[in-house]
Amino acid sequence: MRALVLGAYGLIGADAARALLRAGFDVSGVGRDRAIAMRVLPQVDWHICDLTKLDHAQWQALTKDVDVVINAAGALQDGGGTNLSAIHEDMPRALCAALAGSEVRVVQISAAGVSTEASTEFFRSKARGDAALIASGIDHVVLRPTLVLGHAAYGGTALLRAAAALPLVDWQMMADSQVQTVALPDLSAAIVACAQGDIANGTIADLTEDQARPFPELVAQMRQWMGLPVPQIKLPMPQTQLRMLAKGADLMAPLGWQSPLRSTAIRTLADGISGDSTTWHAAGGAPCRSLHQTFLDHPATVQERWFARCYLLLPLIIGALSLFWLASGLIGLSQYSAAVAVLTSREVPESISIVAVGLGSLLDITLGILVLWRRHVRRACIGMIALTLGYLAAGTVMTPDLWLDPLGAFVKVIPAAVLALVPLALTENR
């Protein structure tokens, strides 16, 4: 059988594609970035395109000769070039129109709790997309998982690990929120069962463990799973503080940072994530494992602890680099004459000194701004390292005495260059 996975290098899509391959399916995937696609799943035949911009003929060509389509494409929140209605509603409508009259099955990955009256556009747009699929009359199954926990860390799973790794204080967040989880392997197994035709046409089912727990307890169990120490201080985190964090994360979205702390994620967790597995069991689906069993089946290693701690440090590192380079450039411009005098007093020609200080300050400011853009962060860090080496090389020739400066004028920039290496290692998220 031939399966087409939409959103095939996402957390759910990639695991589903691997499960389908293991089950003997001929799998092709759809994604927007070829480099990411080939890194995540090189064994899959890829179609690189934007699903929200395909016309009817392109959809028909994409779905030609397939037996099942797995729609795992999705996004959490509008902004930064993301349009939830286009992804969750318009795209499924176009898919259904292309499949009208065919026997192709669509397995829709939705979310537990979707409703047109939900508190977030994520759930509302998902509900509208589900409704469009159901009304189309094509062969379909809608799976609605609760909070998906995978061995890979992305989105909600990354947020949980980071929350569990917060040092010194055990912040009690969203204590009234009840959360159920589903293990990613169980979701992928359910997708395979639906793709094989083991689940009846028209089934709409939640996928979840049976037990719910308060969000702080979920964080505590995540911390125990990773083997992290329990902070001795417990403090409640006020909702106002959470909302401020979410607003800050929202402000970074136009710069390309898709933080799991954005307002939709926080609102969803605050509302609670729960489901009812009764329909899934009645349809013949296998039970989903409990959170305890999920952790037993996938023991944590030092990699999980490293990731959780580095995930917390990355925004601090980006902010520190931006501040350092912006301050360097702005101080150079504001103290222009004094900066030029440092060079001319060491017999560097005035014309060269003026150009060097002006150009260096502008480059510093440019790098300090560029590092805040997600798409430019790697280039900015490489530029910081190269510019630092250039400064040190030129300074060694023109002002070698600064190596022995009591305030460490040259020595102190070396750690800044080394720090710029960290985002190069940590900014891949798939």
Side-chain angles (χ1 to χ4, degrees), residues 253-265:
L255 301 181
W257 298 99
Q258 305 298 316
S259 169
L261 277 173
R262 286 179 294 165
S263 54
T264 294

Side-chain angles (χ1 to χ4, degrees), residues 350-385:
E350 184 177 8
S351 58
I352 294 177
S353 301
I354 291 173
V355 172
V357 171
L359 181 61
S361 296
L362 292 176
L363 286 173
D364 288 357
I365 292 170
T366 300
L367 291 173
I369 294 173
L370 282 181
V371 77
L372 295 175
W373 258 266
R374 177 64 179 82
R375 63 182 296 186
H376 298 306
V377 65
R378 296 176 67 83
R379 297 185 186 94
C381 288
I382 293 172
M384 290 172 180
I385 296 167

Side-chain angles (χ1 to χ4, degrees), residues 197-354:
D198 298 337
I199 305 299
N201 174 29
T203 299
I204 304 169
D206 293 344
L207 283 177
T208 182
E209 61 172 336
D210 294 328
Q211 181 184 353
R213 64 199 53 79
F215 182 75
E217 182 182 331
L218 175 59
V219 173
Q221 292 192 40
M222 179 69 73
R223 183 185 297 116
Q224 183 181 32
W225 171 68
M226 289 192 292
L228 294 169
V230 179
Q232 297 303 306
I233 303 173
K234 286 189 177 184
L235 291 176
M237 179 173 285
Q239 287 296 321
T240 53
Q241 188 173 346
L242 272 176
R243 284 195 290 269
M244 289 176 61
L245 285 172
K247 290 297 182 183
D250 289 345
L251 291 174
M252 298 304 293
L255 301 181
W257 298 99
Q258 305 298 316
S259 169
L261 277 173
R262 286 179 294 165
S263 54
T264 294
I266 297 300
R267 183 62 181 269
T268 299
L269 287 170
D271 289 345
I273 304 174
S274 61
D276 184 351
S277 59
T278 303
T279 301
W280 177 244
H281 295 160
C288 297
R289 71 196 79 184
S290 67
L291 178 65
H292 176 70
Q293 190 63 48
T294 297
F295 286 153
L296 280 179
D297 292 342
H298 298 280
T301 64
V302 68
Q303 288 93 327
E304 280 71 32
R305 292 189 288 276
W306 277 37
F307 171 85
R309 289 165 174 153
C310 290
Y311 194 79
L312 290 171
L313 290 175
L314 181 60
L316 297 178
I317 292 170
I318 296 294
L321 286 170
S322 177
L323 182 62
F324 174 82
W325 286 86
L326 283 171
S328 174
L330 292 172
I331 291 171
L333 290 179
S334 65
Q335 304 290 326
Y336 199 88
S337 298
V340 170
V342 171
L343 298 178
T344 56
S345 66
R346 290 165 173 81
E347 300 182 355
V348 178
E350 184 177 8
S351 58
I352 294 177
S353 301
I354 291 173

